Amino acid sequence: MDNKRKELKVTAIRNGTVIDHIPSDKSFQVINLLNLETYSNQIYFGTGLDSKKFGKKGIIKISEKYFADEEINKIALVAPSATLIEITDYEVTKKEKVHLPESVYKIVKCFNPKCVTNIQDIPTRFKVITDHKGEMKLSCHYCEKTMSKENIEFL
Amino acid sequence: MNELIGRSLVSITDYSKEEIIHILDLAEEFEKNHRQRILDSYVVSSLFFEPSTRTRLSFESAVQYLGGSIIGFASADTSSVKKGESLKDTILTVSNYSDLIIMRNPMDGSARYASEVSPVPIINAGDGANQHPTQCLLDLYSIRKTQGSLDNIHIAMIGDLKYGRTVHSLVQALSLFGATFHFVSPESLKMPSSVKTWIKKAGLEYHQYTDIMDIMPIADILYMTRIQGERFPDPLEYEKVKNSYILENNMLSGSKDNMRVLHPLPRVNEITEDVDDNPKAYYFQQAKNGVYVRQALIAAILGLK
């Protein structure tokens, strides 16, 4: 009975995309990142849900919508643990972890105030790199400065 | 070398080891004969959005010795930038009037951006605190000339290693040639970890010191940089260290015979004037080499050599 109730906390969708295993504190950031507020489709959303693996997690279900890889992989910047599930007629047709994109375009602000992208109207571009400690960093295509995760600010 | 024709130079890492060597070889040719009218009827733009003495004059002298014409401005005050023109518009306009654009701009990353919008090649003459690749090429030329080779040298870099862009590019370039690096700086101005990672990835060694005398018997090249007081969060700390990184003539007595002192200039007080007469002082010749290196670069990019 308990299990059944848990499953019903966020309604199932017939067709579309489910983003699961989002760290609870990143749920709203993921929604913003995917510009979900502009969608007219049905969207179901839960956060603070119990998760064996993560303690608390968020989940987003977007009806009748499938994302291009580069679009969905943006969320790996804030929620690298997220899982992407595609549903067709209530069946799971694809399930995979999001992966970090090789580069990010126009979604992150450069943290260097002297960077040309912060002074003139120029779209930002970053290469996603991993430092010697295995931590993800963004290297600005223009000013060549490298910023760590804490400095990431979305446009 | 066909690969260089029409290509912008923004950062020293845009060039391969072979391309760097090609430019240095060409520069050697220009040192033997720097008056060659190969740029006859060519127009080069020199856009200096902030003042510079050495870089601007040596570029302009390089073009003029080659018989080319120079147009442009020496400060943003005398350009449309003052009226609020965007960098893109300035570059697109100026590219209509010239075969090549040499640009210095205080915005970090402006040179990469300019190279992407410009239909003619851009040579970065310094983009803010980011890159200054022609300084790096002339440093490499000076090292090769004084040491006979760029391979496996021991280079000591002294002063502000944290913010000094010339030392960062020089480390990247020398890593291609198997150098050993000796870094001498106050604790708060140590070489950034990203640069040290670069060295490790290249499989090379670096050593860090706080006393300039420690590297005197080891170094083939002493690369001096200026320590700026405004870099220190605590003025007291600056007062403590400011005199520790001043090179005086008597300090050079224990150095190797082949050792040469380099400095990107301008100097303020970090090398006392009594060093100037020591045959190991090479910084003014180094600045002169800038003309030959820039001639080589312009000739290569325009496909004239």
Side-chain angles (χ1 to χ4, degrees), chain A residues 142 144, chain B residues 8-15 109-113 115 122-124 127 130-133:
Chain A
Y142 292 105
E144 304 184 24
Chain B
S8 296
L9 173 61
V10 173
S11 163
I12 193 67
T13 51
D14 293 349
Y15 276 11
S110 50
R112 181 70 64 199
Y113 178 68
S115 76
I122 302 274
I123 298 179
N124 181 9
D127 61 324
N130 187 31
Q131 296 288 336
H132 190 5

Side-chain angles (χ1 to χ4, degrees), chain B residues 133-160:
Chain B
T134 60
Q135 177 69 46
C136 186
L137 285 169
L138 78 91
D139 292 342
L140 292 172
Y141 185 78
S142 302
I143 294 169
R144 190 173 84 162
K145 194 171 161 61
T146 58
Q147 305 302 315
S149 157
L150 281 173
D151 297 327
N152 307 316
I153 61 148
H154 282 259
I155 181 162
M157 297 176 166
I158 294 134
D160 178 357

Side-chain angles (χ1 to χ4, degrees), chain B residues 55-268:
Chain B
T55 308
R56 184 171 64 83
L57 294 183
S58 90
F59 262 117
E60 296 190 359
S61 136
V63 171
Q64 294 191 6
Y65 276 131
L66 297 179
S69 307
I70 283 264
I71 58 169
F73 48 82
S75 96
D77 290 346
T78 53
S79 76
S80 309
V81 177
K82 219 184 165 189
K83 298 178 192 157
E85 186 176 53
S86 71
L87 178 60
K88 181 181 177 183
D89 288 7
T90 305
I91 295 294
L92 287 177
T93 307
V94 170
S95 64
N96 290 325
Y97 312 142
S98 51
D99 302 292
L100 173 76
I101 296 174
I102 295 157
M103 182 179 87
R104 166 164 293 192
N105 189 296
M107 295 182 285
D108 297 352
S110 50
R112 181 70 64 199
Y113 178 68
S115 76
E116 288 173 351
V117 296
S118 174
V120 302
I122 302 274
I123 298 179
N124 181 9
D127 61 324
N130 187 31
Q131 296 288 336
H132 190 5
T134 60
Q135 177 69 46
C136 186
L137 285 169
L138 78 91
D139 292 342
L140 292 172
Y141 185 78
S142 302
I143 294 169
R144 190 173 84 162
K145 194 171 161 61
T146 58
Q147 305 302 315
S149 157
L150 281 173
D151 297 327
N152 307 316
I153 61 148
H154 282 259
I155 181 162
M157 297 176 166
I158 294 134
D160 178 357
L161 306 184
K162 186 172 181 185
Y163 300 100
R165 64 182 172 191
T166 57
V167 287
H168 301 164
S169 316
L170 195 53
V171 167
Q172 291 181 318
L174 280 174
S175 294
L176 300 170
F177 298 89
T180 305
F181 300 94
H182 304 274
F183 300 140
V184 189
S185 70
E187 202 55 41
S188 54
L189 295 178
K190 277 166 89 171
M191 196 58 98
S193 60
S194 56
V195 178
K196 291 189 271 195
T197 306
W198 186 284
I199 299 171
K200 274 194 217 151
K201 275 191 185 158
L204 300 173
E205 268 178 52
Y206 67 85
H207 307 276
Q208 302 189 93
Y209 314 78
T210 49
D211 185 349
I212 192 168
M213 293 313 287
D214 288 346
I215 49 85
M216 219 41 98
I218 315 166
D220 299 312
I221 292 288
L222 215 65
Y223 196 96
M224 297 293 297
T225 66
R226 185 156 44 103
I227 294 186
Q228 292 161 283
E230 60 269 27
R231 298 291 194 202
F232 286 81
D234 179 359
L236 275 177
E237 202 197 336
Y238 172 63
E239 287 305 316
K240 261 194 279 175
V241 302
K242 69 173 187 189
N243 293 327
S244 325
Y245 299 92
I246 292 177
L247 187 67
E248 292 168 15
N249 193 34
N250 57 28
M251 293 160 73
L252 295 172
S253 56
S255 62
K256 286 173 162 179
D257 290 343
N258 64 306
M259 194 278 273
R260 292 292 177 273
V261 181
L262 268 59
H263 189 301
L265 302 179
R267 75 169 151 185
V268 179

